[in-house]
Amino acid sequence: MAATNKPNKLAFLSMPAPASYVAGLGRGASGFTTRSDIGPAREGPSAEVIAEAQARRGEEPEFDAEQFQDPDNEFGLFAGTTYEADDEEADKIYDLVDHMMDARRRARREAREEAELAKHRAERPKIQQQFADLKRGLSVVTDEEWENIPEVGNLTRKKRKRDERSFVVPDSVIVGDTARGQYESALDARQQATGGFETPADSGTLTNFVEMGQARDKILSLKLDQVSGTSTASGLATSVDPKGYLTSLDSVIIKTDAEIGDIKRARMLFDSLVKSNPKHSPGWIAAACLEEHAGRMVAARKIIKMGCEQCPKSEDVWLEAARLHNNDDAKVILANAVQHVGQSVKIWLAAADLEHDIKAKKRVLRKALEHIPNSVRLWKETVNLESSAADARILLARAVEVIPQSVELWLALARLETPEKAKAVLNKARKAVPTSHEIWIAAGRLLEQEAYVSGKSEEQRNKELEVVDKTIEAGVRELRRHQVLLTREQWLKEAERCEDEGSPRTCEAIIKATVAMEVEEEDRLDTWVGDAESAESRGKVGTARAILAYALRVFPDRKSLWRKAADLEKAHGTRESLNAILEQAVRHCPQAEVLWLMWAKEKWLAGDVPAAREVLEKAFVANPESEQIWLAAVKLEAENGELGVARELLVRARTVADTQRIWMKSAVFERQQGQISTALETLEAALKKYPKFAKLYMIQGQIHQSQGNFAAARASYAAGIKACPKEVNLWILASRLEEADNRSIKARSLLDKARLANPGSDVLWAEAVGVEERSGGTAQAKTVLARGLQECPNSGLLWSMAIWAEPRPTRKSRSADALRKAADDPLIICTVARLFWAERKIEKARQWFERAVKINPDIGDVWGWWLKFERQHGTQEYQDEVVKRCVAAEPHHGQTWQSIAKDMKSTGKSTKEILELVADALH
């Protein structure tokens, strides 16, 4: 029954929705409405429609309180009605009620307002109240204190407005300004009395300018003393050391705003680091260093102290703390440090460094050795402090007992012992450390040192030196047995170190024992030659000599190897060592003509002419048909004045060797001796045998030309050109012959033919340019030069001529073009040096001359220009150096050099004399 009377909760579902119902509005699920939902825009409902809908829903219309407000009267529409007596009475009643209500609340309101005002005055007092006590204190200020109060300056850093007030100019200024540009045409009474030209002093005395200057200097010194604070006239001034003051200014570090900001950020970072990880010692060290950099030493020491407390096992923190404190405090800090990290060698060494007394240092280090007896560094420092060799020996003996694996201590002990005891020490060291190569090398050096003790015979010394070789060889075997495999490069470095330390035989023994390691049999020669050249370039002559000596034992028949050994001795050795090498070389390579000639030349340069003859005789036996040996013998006899012997040798040489060069030298020899007819006969005989040898035609033509027989000379050159059309010098000589005969057109045609027969020859183009210049055709010379550069764009000779053909302002750019085309041509380099010379850039010019002779030292013209330059701008030492290097280089080429060297007047002259002549001839 009850169930039937229970209301239905879902009955509202069948009811109609209220007029203002919006689905989901109560739970905030109302969506947005788009134009597609509501259709096109249209005019909204009118006010009548809205009122009618509200009435239908039972809603009351809303009235606006301001809708009846009169726009012109703010009191409403009824303000204009009659104010009657009852209205006045009502107003009085209302006013009385308001007054009574206000009276009831006034006491509480005023009390509250006073409390709030007192609280506000306490929190924000007035400025007058803040300075009230100071203003009361002004009553006791004395007059002197008032006088000492400084003037108030402008501390706001704001620009103040200028006082633009104007003032009335006095009449006197106006009158004076009008009279300023006028001239006075009358003399006053004084001028009339003195004649108008002199102005006598009132007192009749002269002005003393010396006294005025002294007074000025005195005043200036007083002012400077006052500024610097060194014046002794006042007892209030303090004494300042100017040097010390300047030094202190240098030490002041002025930090920018950016640096200060960086320091602040870094400080925050390190502070966070040490707080998050207080056991991180680098963080404490970095924070302390930051404060030190910022100039806050107290803060730095405080931070590092906290670091020592947090990280007592970190030696770096303790060392940094000792560094940041003074000497006495650092000692205390390190004393605490050894309590926590007593096994730290660095801390003990730092503690020893803080001591200034040797005894105190020894005491600290021996205390350290009690804690750390196996520290090699501590033992070495302790031994170094000992002034007595006996005490040091005792300490080292104890050290090697404690640390038998230390090679350094064993070697130090061996150095302090006598030779016999040193051997025993090294034997013990070898047994204790069988893997150390330093011990074996030290043993070899000890044996070498004993071998060179004075008083021993040569045979005994050689036997002892052989022991050095055996010792090093045994050491290498033992090291291999103990699996110690050093590379070739490591052994070569050890050999070089032995050479530097004055043990050449030990160096040689190491080379003998190890230089063949890790090298293939077919690569041995190249590898060893490369090693020798590398050692020589580093200045290790002994190592290079030992490598070449070993290579010569393996390859005794290699001529090039003997030549390298001879060149090494010639450059770095003595005359005796060079003779010994050359003697061995010709014994092993008797067919090597170069070695025989080198040996004979060295004997000749040493002044031993008979020995040189003897060497050449032996060379004849070994090489009976050698052209070079025959000519060397002829030159030796001719240079020493034995002309008859030289002529006989040439006759025998023509019979035995019978080469075209011997025939040529025979003709030249006869020509030098003035036997022109004999020379011509020799040339005719030679030309029948060797018609293709161009130099025979050249010599024949030059002889005819020197005699004035131009027709015979022309015939000789023509025959030579026909037989040897590719010989450039023949064409040039023929052209110069025509030019000497005033037939420039014929000279040009010959050079044109020569260029057709020898295309790409820069020498022929240069000669053609010279012909045009000598005939006066400068423009034509430039044209020919341009054509030559087109055909030979990399010719240094033509580029050099092109540079000098340019006017001075454009030569530098022209030289840049030349360097781009042929950067390594010595003639271009020499030309650039001459340009620097012309610009007075002395050092640059000298560097470029140096560069030119390094590229090709065989060009004599470059040496001549360099000597000419040094004569003008260099010292005598520079000139001697150039001559010395030129003599060593023995140049043979160069246009000016060849013309002077092959001149008959230069017969028998040395390289130095020819160089002097070339330097004089160049312009």
Side-chain angles (χ1 to χ4, degrees):
M1 193 70 180
T4 58
N5 294 332
K6 188 175 180 179
N8 186 7
K9 294 182 178 181
L10 302 177
F12 68 94
L13 295 175
S14 59
M15 297 180 182
S20 60
Y21 173 75
V22 178
L25 183 64
R27 52 187 173 85
S30 61
F32 59 89
T33 304
T34 63
R35 176 61 61 187
S36 60
D37 296 326
I38 63 177
R42 61 180 181 274
E43 188 179 0
S46 62
E48 292 78 6
V49 175
I50 293 174
E52 187 176 343
Q54 288 177 345
R56 202 167 40 245
R57 289 197 298 267
E59 297 178 356
E60 293 291 336
E62 297 181 357
F63 296 100
D64 187 7
E66 302 293 334
Q67 65 181 337
F68 302 111
Q69 176 71 36
D70 184 7
D72 299 326
N73 186 358
E74 61 179 2
F75 294 104
L77 298 176
F78 300 103
T81 58
T82 306
Y83 187 69
E84 299 178 349
D86 54 349
D87 295 328
E88 183 180 1
E89 183 180 1
D91 289 337
K92 288 181 179 179
I93 292 172
Y94 281 117
D95 290 339
L96 181 62
V97 172
D98 290 337
H99 180 71
M100 291 178 64
M101 294 296 291
D102 185 63
R104 290 173 58 185
R105 301 189 183 97
R106 183 183 302 133
R108 286 183 291 174
R109 186 176 67 249
E110 290 179 353
R112 187 178 70 252
E113 290 177 354
E114 289 180 359
E116 291 177 355
L117 183 61
K119 182 178 179 182
H120 180 73
R121 290 281 185 252
E123 292 178 354
R124 299 179 181 179
K126 294 182 178 179
I127 296 178
Q128 296 176 351
Q129 296 175 353
Q130 294 179 11
F131 292 95
D133 54 343
L134 299 176
K135 294 171 74 175
R136 286 192 297 269
L138 292 177
S139 60
V140 297
V141 176
T142 61
D143 294 340
E144 185 178 0
E145 292 174 342
W146 275 109
E147 293 293 336
N148 292 330
I149 294 176
E151 294 294 333
V152 177
N154 181 16
L155 303 179
T156 61
R157 296 183 180 178
K158 294 181 180 179
K159 286 187 176 180
R160 294 189 175 184
K161 293 183 178 180
R162 294 182 178 179
D163 192 0
E164 297 180 354
R165 291 180 296 173
S166 60
F167 300 92
V168 179
V169 180
D171 295 340
S172 59
V173 175
I174 298 174
V175 173
D177 187 67
T178 56
R180 183 176 59 180
Q182 298 179 1
Y183 296 95
E184 187 68 32
S185 59
L187 299 176
D188 60 5
R190 177 179 295 181
Q191 290 172 337
Q192 292 177 3
T194 59
F197 296 104
E198 298 177 0
T199 305
D202 293 336
S203 60
T205 60
L206 296 175
T207 303
N208 192 342
F209 290 101
V210 177
E211 293 181 357
M212 290 177 63
Q214 293 176 351
R216 183 194 62 184
D217 295 341
K218 187 174 182 180
I219 293 171
L220 180 61
S221 64
L222 288 174
K223 288 183 178 180
L224 291 175
D225 290 342
Q226 290 175 1
V227 172
S228 63
T230 58
S231 176
T232 57
S234 174
L236 298 176
T238 58
S239 179
V240 178
D241 179 17
K243 294 183 179 180
Y245 179 68
L246 292 175
T247 304
S248 64
L249 285 180
D250 291 337
S251 63
V252 173
I253 301 175
I254 301 176
K255 294 182 174 63
T256 62
D257 295 340
E259 290 178 347
I260 293 173
D262 294 340
I263 290 173
K264 289 181 179 179
R265 286 191 292 271
R267 186 179 289 121
M268 293 174 59
L269 180 64
F270 289 138
D271 186 45
S272 173
L273 175 63
V274 298
K275 285 182 179 178
S276 61
N277 190 3
K279 299 300 181 182
H280 186 60
S281 58
W284 293 103
I285 295 172
C289 290
L290 176 66
E291 299 298 339
E292 181 189 11
H293 177 69
R296 302 174 58 188
M297 290 301 298
V298 177
R301 290 167 181 163
K302 185 177 179 181
I303 289 173
I304 204 64
K305 180 181 178 183
M306 296 170 61
C308 293
E309 294 173 356
Q310 294 291 337
C311 308
K313 298 297 183 182
S314 173
E315 63 179 11
D316 295 332
V317 174
W318 290 107
L319 292 173
E320 185 67 16
R323 187 184 67 83
L324 292 175
H325 288 76
N326 56 32
N327 199 28
D328 296 334
D329 295 340
K331 291 179 182 179
V332 176
I333 290 171
L334 293 180
N336 294 330
V338 297
Q339 303 297 327
H340 295 87
V341 278
Q343 297 298 313
S344 173
V345 177
K346 291 182 179 180
I347 288 179
W348 283 107
L349 290 175
D353 290 337
L354 292 175
E355 301 291 344
H356 300 294
D357 185 20
I358 298 298
K359 292 183 179 179
K361 284 180 179 289
K362 291 180 181 179
R363 186 168 56 251
V364 172
L365 290 174
R366 289 180 180 179
K367 189 73 174 175
L369 288 172
E370 293 178 4
H371 288 78
I372 319 171
N374 58 348
S375 172
V376 177
R377 191 174 176 187
L378 286 176
W379 280 107
K380 289 170 64 177
E381 293 291 335
T382 307
V383 172
N384 288 337
L385 290 177
E386 296 294 337
S387 58
S388 172
D391 296 338
R393 197 181 299 118
I394 294 171
L395 283 172
L396 286 171
R398 175 60 182 161
V400 296
E401 291 178 5
V402 177
I403 317 172
Q405 299 300 318
S406 174
V407 177
E408 294 179 75
L409 296 178
W410 281 109
L411 295 178
L413 178 59
R415 290 191 200 101
L416 292 176
E417 295 286 0
T418 60
E420 295 299 327
K421 291 183 179 180
K423 291 181 182 178
V425 169
L426 289 175
N427 285 329
K428 291 180 181 179
R430 180 172 54 80
K431 295 176 181 177
V433 193
T435 59
S436 172
H437 63 280
E438 291 96 340
I439 296 175
W440 287 100
I441 294 174
R445 293 184 60 192
L446 178 63
L447 293 172
E448 181 181 0
Q449 183 180 354
E450 282 187 343
Y452 283 106
V453 174
S454 60
K456 293 185 178 181
S457 63
E458 191 68 24
E459 184 180 357
Q460 185 178 1
R461 182 176 289 115
N462 292 334
K463 287 182 179 180
E464 293 182 1
L465 290 176
E466 289 176 1
V467 177
V468 176
D469 299 340
K470 294 178 181 178
T471 302
I472 296 298
E473 187 177 354
V476 173
R477 284 199 306 270
E478 286 295 317
L479 290 172
R480 287 177 181 171
R481 192 167 64 84
H482 288 89
Q483 303 300 317
V484 179
L485 302 176
L486 272 71
T487 62
R488 285 183 71 256
E489 288 73 18
Q490 290 174 321
W491 280 114
L492 289 176
K493 287 182 180 179
E494 291 294 333
E496 291 177 1
R497 188 165 62 85
C498 290
E499 180 186 353
D500 292 337
E501 294 175 358
S503 301
R505 188 53 185 260
T506 307
C507 167
E508 184 179 349
I510 294 174
I511 296 297
K512 288 179 182 177
T514 61
V515 75
M517 293 169 51
E518 305 172 2
V519 181
E520 297 293 336
E521 186 173 353
E522 59 271 12
D523 298 334
R524 289 184 299 176
L525 181 60
D526 295 336
T527 303
W528 291 339
V529 171
D531 292 339
E533 291 176 351
S534 176
E536 184 183 3
S537 65
R538 292 193 299 271
K540 312 300 181 185
V541 180
T543 305
R545 186 182 288 120
I547 294 172
L548 288 177
Y550 185 85
L552 287 170
R553 290 193 197 95
V554 180
F555 303 103
D557 55 343
R558 293 299 179 98
K559 180 177 67 174
S560 59
L561 206 56
W562 284 108
R563 180 71 183 272
K564 285 189 176 296
D567 291 340
L568 179 68
E569 295 300 331
K570 186 176 181 180
H572 304 284
T574 61
R575 196 179 296 275
E576 291 76 13
S577 62
L578 178 57
N579 285 329
I581 284 289
L582 290 173
E583 187 176 359
Q584 295 179 28
V586 297
R587 190 185 311 126
H588 288 89
C589 302
Q591 306 302 320
E593 301 173 359
V594 178
L595 298 177
W596 285 106
L597 294 175
M598 286 182 67
W599 193 14
K601 186 176 181 180
E602 290 302 322
K603 294 290 186 183
W604 179 27
L605 293 176
D608 193 355
V609 178
R613 289 195 182 103
E614 184 180 352
V615 170
L616 289 176
E617 289 175 3
K618 294 178 180 178
F620 282 133
V621 174
N623 304 277
E625 297 181 0
S626 172
E627 171 189 289
Q628 294 183 356
I629 295 175
W630 279 105
L631 294 178
V634 171
K635 184 177 181 181
L636 176 66
E637 300 300 339
E639 292 288 341
N640 288 278
E642 300 291 340
L643 301 178
V645 178
R647 187 176 283 109
E648 290 179 4
L649 284 173
L650 283 171
V651 173
R652 289 176 57 193
R654 291 198 298 269
T655 305
V656 177
D658 194 18
T659 64
Q660 57 187 13
R661 193 157 179 263
I662 289 177
W663 281 96
M664 181 198 71
K665 289 293 183 181
S666 300
V668 171
F669 176 79
E670 297 298 342
R671 182 186 177 190
Q672 290 174 350
Q673 303 307 317
Q675 304 295 328
I676 303 299
S677 59
T678 307
L680 290 174
E681 292 174 1
T682 305
L683 287 171
E684 290 177 2
L687 285 172
K688 291 178 181 178
K689 287 191 173 186
Y690 306 103
K692 297 292 185 181
F693 190 42
K695 287 189 177 182
L696 298 175
Y697 295 103
M698 295 181 198
I699 298 171
Q700 189 181 42
Q702 287 174 345
I703 292 175
H704 289 310
Q705 185 176 354
S706 64
Q707 291 178 337
N709 190 354
F710 283 16
R714 191 177 291 112
S716 297
Y717 291 144
I721 290 173
K722 186 176 181 180
C724 309
K726 297 296 183 181
E727 184 60 41
V728 174
N729 291 325
L730 263 175
W731 289 99
I732 293 175
L733 288 174
S735 171
R736 289 181 181 176
L737 174 66
E738 300 299 338
E739 195 175 359
D741 200 16
N742 296 323
R743 300 170 66 179
S744 299
I745 298 175
K746 180 66 173 176
R748 289 193 191 97
S749 65
L750 279 173
L751 290 175
D752 290 340
K753 291 179 181 178
R755 290 198 298 273
L756 291 175
N758 301 278
S761 174
D762 58 342
V763 180
L764 290 174
W765 282 106
E767 185 64 24
V769 174
V771 169
E772 299 298 338
E773 289 179 346
R774 288 189 290 270
S775 62
T778 308
Q780 184 64 22
K782 288 186 177 180
T783 304
V784 174
L785 182 59
R787 289 172 55 199
L789 282 174
Q790 289 179 353
E791 187 170 340
C792 308
N794 298 322
S795 170
L797 177 61
L798 294 180
W799 275 112
S800 178
M801 297 176 70
I803 291 171
W804 293 114
E806 294 288 331
R808 184 182 294 270
T810 58
R811 285 176 182 173
K812 185 176 290 186
S813 60
R814 196 64 167 166
S815 64
D817 296 338
L819 287 172
R820 279 192 289 270
K821 289 291 185 180
D824 294 330
D825 192 286
L827 294 177
I828 295 178
I829 302 298
C830 179
T831 304
V832 174
R834 291 169 60 193
L835 291 178
F836 284 126
W837 178 8
E839 295 175 0
R840 300 286 176 168
K841 296 180 180 179
I842 307 303
E843 288 302 323
K844 274 195 172 183
R846 185 173 287 121
Q847 292 173 4
W848 282 76
F849 277 124
E850 175 82 23
R851 183 177 165 188
V853 298
K854 281 185 177 178
I855 293 175
N856 188 357
D858 195 49
I859 300 179
D861 289 3
V862 179
W863 291 104
W865 280 116
W866 194 5
L867 180 60
K868 191 178 184 69
F869 165 76
E870 295 297 350
R871 283 178 178 177
Q872 184 173 349
H873 297 288
T875 60
Q876 186 62 39
E877 289 77 9
Y878 280 117
Q879 298 174 26
D880 295 342
E881 180 66 21
V882 172
V883 172
K884 179 182 176 182
R885 293 177 60 181
C886 180
V887 171
E890 296 183 358
H892 295 92
H893 295 88
Q895 291 181 337
T896 308
W897 182 277
Q898 286 181 316
S899 64
I900 293 176
K902 294 185 177 180
D903 191 357
M904 291 295 103
K905 298 178 182 178
S906 302
T907 303
K909 290 185 178 179
S910 63
T911 304
K912 178 180 179 182
E913 293 171 337
I914 296 175
L915 177 62
E916 300 283 348
L917 293 174
V918 170
D920 294 335
L922 290 172
H923 58 275

